[in-house]
Amino acid sequence: MSDTIRVEEVEAVTPPPRARVEDAADAQTASGRERDYLSGFLQQQPQGDAPGEPGGALYEAVIDALKEIYDPEIPVNIYDLGLIYGVEVSAEGQAVVTMTLTTPHCPVAESMPAEVEMRVAAVPGIAFADVNLIWDPPWDPQKMSDEAKLELGML
């Protein structure tokens, strides 16, 4: 058995062929997915009896999205904090969120409604979202969920 290394000098190496979009199947790839992965995104709707009603999959998906948004000054999400007064979801995929802030002078008064709108509109099945910011009735700590009160040491 010989431990010699053989070296071969070449002038050029032909690069491997590159994948091109034109090489893909006309409407679908081999896996059966459509080429445009975003097509139908707005038509997706979670399954459920009444998706836009409380307890329905689409409504609950919107609530879950709201629970991912945290108040920057209080380590509790805005839903459990009691800042969300109402959520309406239509069969056409329009979501209307009625909310308030802890105070009109809140530092996120300008950015929080926009973030809520963006997060809710990103839920599959929601075509567009509207946020209504109201001040009456004013927010108070009694609007917080028991989980939020426990988190903040109020229980």
Side-chain angles (χ1 to χ4, degrees), residues 42 88-90 92-96 117 120-123 125-130:
L42 295 177
E88 299 173 22
V89 180
S90 73
E92 296 79 35
Q94 176 182 2
V96 178
E117 183 177 332
V120 171
V123 172
I126 298 296
F128 58 95
D130 290 320

Side-chain angles (χ1 to χ4, degrees), residues 23-66:
D23 296 337
D26 287 335
Q28 297 182 343
T29 64
S31 66
R33 291 178 64 182
E34 292 185 19
R35 283 177 52 196
D36 182 3
Y37 299 117
L38 295 177
S39 92
F41 176 76
L42 295 177
Q43 285 75 36
Q44 293 181 31
Q45 292 200 2
Q47 299 301 313
D49 294 332
E53 299 296 321
L58 186 57
Y59 180 89
E60 294 303 322
V62 169
I63 298 299
D64 289 343
L66 292 170

Side-chain angles (χ1 to χ4, degrees), residues 65-72 74 76-85 97 99-101 108 112 115-116 139 143:
L66 292 170
K67 287 183 176 182
E68 293 177 1
I69 304 169
Y70 283 78
D71 186 290
I74 306 170
V76 176
N77 69 66
I78 64 171
Y79 188 81
D80 288 333
L81 197 55
L83 297 179
I84 304 300
Y85 286 175
V97 177
M99 68 174 291
T100 193
L101 298 172
V108 293
M112 183 68 74
E115 182 177 358
V116 169
W139 178 86
K143 295 188 182 335

